[in-house]
Amino acid sequence: MTQAQAVLQILYFFLPAYLANMSPVLVRPWLRSLAVPIDGGKTLWGKRLLGDHKTWRGLLAGIFVGMITYELQRLINEAGFAKGLMLIDYAAQPLLPGLLMGLGAGVGDAVKSFFKRRIDIEPGASWPVFDQLDFFIGAYLFVAPITAPPLLPTLASMPIIFLGNVASEVVGYWLGFKETWI
Ligand code: CTP
Ligand code: MG
């Protein structure tokens, strides 16, 4: 297998996490009753634990989208397509990896917000690199007990994921979904 193929496998494997990470901003017009802050308004040293932008709705949307995306990948696998991209035995591993990637993406994002609040970065203000890779590190750590993706291609995929996220953010900003372009 070439290095490029190994990186492509990582990108394909983490597609559920990538889409989960994009989902909170897309579900904002719906499910208002779930749009409550995860931190319940609590503070630490006078500053919000996570802030208003981290809601149960966003976290649940990510878990849902992570699972749906993973299940679609399982169907693609079952149909015999894209075999060279498979890093995991999709037939033997239903649901849980998708759930873990969706949850891990959301937890990674929330942990990053925790640190943003500690260093006085307002909710929605950008913290480059951390904002783009938080979900990926979270998803990796959560899914690793089931399938630990090889480290070198994982590291090599990070600049691509960073740039992919900047591109989605620019498009999201342009379409009016996001407050900042990065
Ligand atoms: N979002 C949400 N719940 C989450 C994560 C995100 O409702 N658990 C929504 C919020 O409306 C948020 C938007 O998705 O404004 C974009 O998410 P993100 O960029 O991760 O958050 P920021 O607005 O940058 O907030 P923070 O500074 O806390 O990272
Ligand atoms: Mg942000």
Side-chain angles (χ1 to χ4, degrees), residues 52-136:
D52 279 337
H53 287 195
K54 296 294 123 103
T55 66
W56 288 111
R57 177 178 62 188
L59 187 65
L60 292 172
I63 294 171
F64 181 75
V65 167
M67 290 181 86
I68 295 287
T69 309
Y70 183 76
E71 289 309 300
L72 287 175
Q73 289 179 313
R74 273 165 39 77
L75 288 177
I76 291 169
N77 177 60
E78 213 175 285
F81 294 120
K83 287 286 183 200
L85 284 175
M86 308 296 176
L87 196 70
I88 185 172
D89 185 353
Y90 285 95
Q93 302 276 6
L95 292 169
L96 189 61
L99 185 150
L100 291 173
M101 280 194 260
L103 179 64
V107 170
D109 178 44
V111 167
K112 172 223 55 192
S113 289
F114 174 84
F115 288 111
K116 276 171 94 171
R117 299 303 88 82
R118 307 285 73 73
I119 58 172
D120 263 344
I121 302 177
E122 290 297 310
S126 72
W127 193 22
V129 186
F130 298 100
D131 275 331
Q132 284 78 26
L133 294 177
D134 51 6
F135 80 95
F136 182 64

Side-chain angles (χ1 to χ4, degrees), residues 135-151:
F135 80 95
F136 182 64
I137 293 162
Y140 186 98
L141 294 176
F142 271 59
V143 83
I146 298 205
T147 294
L151 213 52

Side-chain angles (χ1 to χ4, degrees), residues 43-49 114 118:
T43 56
L44 174 69
W45 306 319
K47 288 166 199 156
R48 284 289 292 275
L49 226 46
F114 174 84
R118 307 285 73 73

